[in-house]
Amino acid sequence: MKTSKKRSHVTLQDVAAHAGVSRATASLVLRGSPNISEATRQKVLAAMQQLGYVYDRIAANLRSNASSTVGLIIMELANPFYSELLVGIHQELDKFGYTVILGTTFDSHAIQERLLSTMLEHRVGGIILSAVPGSSSEGVNQIIKLGIPVVLVGRKIANVSCDYVGIDNVRGGQIAAEHLIRKGHRRIAFLGGFSQLSSWQERKRGYDQAHYAAGLPIDNNLVVETPATRQGGIAAIQKVLTAPEPPTAAFCYNDMIAIGAMMQMKEMGFVPGRDMAIVGFDDIPEATIFSPKLTTVSSFPRLMGIHAARLLHAQIEGAADEPQTIILQPELIVRESCSYAKNQTRA
């Protein structure tokens, strides 16, 4: 009890003295200033943790329900998946009167860490996070220990116990590959994304399972990792189409990669959907606009956002006990980009 009393009176000046810096420098660290060296920032953060400054100041605000602001950290808004996710989150949080602070990481660990620190400075009541690939559990677990609710959406972090909303990626990868196999394709590429992502690993597992069930070998030369963007799709399709034994079909990690791949196919003189079958993942609005219209697996991003917002609100209100996991079931949306393999007759 004595320790708790002593910590409740820790000031920023105490932190500065403990870290061997000025109070102004400690304040700049709190505000996330880019003018502070990493070594100094780590010294100040360590002093805050050792003296209990961060724990007591932020937790006290949360206990008094002083904040009606929540943080949302996503990869980017250029990907329509995240735009749809944001719509769902706002749609639900607006009902409860929350204000949302939005941050975009562009899949950078440094930016994600800085955004999490900024959320703490603004004493948010909770955070919805779509984590960058390979995120460490340390930072998020630290926030959870402060009593700040966290909901992960779309991407898991190993060794973090908190609410999670996602899609059944294994099933999604499986139904995508099965559809191509039913079309007579035997060399199917898996294009884009990075293997550090839990969603990539799960979609790849579904892709593998469909091959095993059909008795088909998996050619690792057809598994190409790239950023989950149009440019990533362009690079991935160039690699497999110029290979000695190119595939006849491709399952893409997401729709952005699939659209980039089809754009590049046209540039190279191929006809998407005829010369090569393409399946995406997410069912973004552009999937119905591009020609040919994209066959894809719907991940219901707007619904994911609604569920994430509801879980966060329940935590902030103290209505939730154990961490909850909500897994949505994917749906294959068949359009025009999936031809039968050449010399394959329809069943």
Side-chain angles (χ1 to χ4, degrees), residues 107-128:
D107 273 349
S108 163
H109 287 273
I111 295 175
Q112 178 172 287
E113 186 179 340
R114 186 165 69 246
L115 286 171
L116 288 171
S117 296
T118 299
M119 301 301 179
L120 293 181
E121 289 175 44
H122 285 82
R123 293 173 170 79
V124 295
I127 296 173
I128 297 174

Side-chain angles (χ1 to χ4, degrees), residues 80-315:
F81 170 87
Y82 291 104
S83 301
E84 289 292 300
L85 180 73
L86 180 60
V87 168
I89 289 170
H90 268 294
Q91 178 181 321
E92 197 64 20
L93 290 180
D94 283 350
K95 297 178 184 177
F96 307 117
Y98 290 107
T99 299
V100 177
I101 298 176
L102 174 65
T104 52
T105 63
F106 302 101
D107 273 349
S108 163
H109 287 273
I111 295 175
Q112 178 172 287
E113 186 179 340
R114 186 165 69 246
L115 286 171
L116 288 171
S117 296
T118 299
M119 301 301 179
L120 293 181
E121 289 175 44
H122 285 82
R123 293 173 170 79
V124 295
I127 296 173
I128 297 174
L129 171 65
S130 180
V132 305
S135 289
S136 165
S137 61
E138 185 178 352
V140 176
N141 281 332
Q142 180 87 341
I143 291 170
I144 294 171
K145 286 178 183 177
L146 297 176
I148 301 174
V150 175
V151 177
L152 296 178
V153 59
R155 299 173 171 182
K156 299 173 184 173
I157 302 177
N159 303 315
V160 170
S161 179
C162 68
D163 287 347
Y164 173 75
V165 181
I167 192 78
D168 187 340
N169 286 300
V170 176
R171 181 59 184 155
Q174 185 176 16
I175 60 177
E178 285 175 346
H179 179 68
L180 292 168
I181 291 169
R182 284 196 300 272
K183 293 277 188 177
H185 296 282
R186 297 297 178 262
R187 286 184 59 75
I188 303 168
F190 180 42
L191 304 182
F194 289 114
S195 56
Q196 301 101 309
L197 282 170
S198 60
S199 53
W200 187 97
Q201 295 164 11
E202 291 164 357
R203 291 173 198 180
K204 175 63 163 55
R205 195 182 314 148
Y207 163 93
D208 290 349
Q209 288 177 0
H211 280 72
Y212 297 149
L216 296 176
I218 295 171
D219 184 349
N220 289 326
N221 293 319
L222 300 182
V223 178
V224 181
E225 295 185 43
T226 67
T229 61
R230 282 189 179 90
Q231 288 301 318
I234 290 170
I237 201 72
Q238 282 179 321
K239 181 172 182 178
V240 296
L241 283 180
T242 56
E245 294 183 72
T248 64
F251 165 47
C252 300
Y253 172 76
N254 68 9
D255 288 349
M256 295 289 281
I257 292 166
I259 290 171
M262 291 195 293
M263 289 169 58
Q264 184 60 26
M265 285 181 69
K266 291 181 177 182
E267 286 290 319
M268 298 171 71
F270 294 98
V271 178
R274 187 191 72 187
D275 296 326
M276 184 174 182
I278 302 287
V279 178
F281 201 108
D282 284 338
D283 194 26
I284 62 176
E286 283 80 351
T288 62
I289 298 171
F290 196 86
S291 179
K293 294 179 181 179
L294 179 64
T295 294
T296 185
V297 177
S298 180
S299 60
F300 307 103
R302 189 174 298 199
L303 183 57
M304 287 173 63
I306 291 171
H307 281 300
R310 287 176 180 170
L311 289 175
L312 189 69
H313 175 65
Q315 283 198 60

Side-chain angles (χ1 to χ4, degrees), residues 60-75:
N61 274 280
L62 291 172
R63 284 195 296 270
S64 64
N65 291 319
S67 179
S68 62
T69 302
V70 300
L72 170 61
I73 301 176
I74 58 177
M75 187 186 101

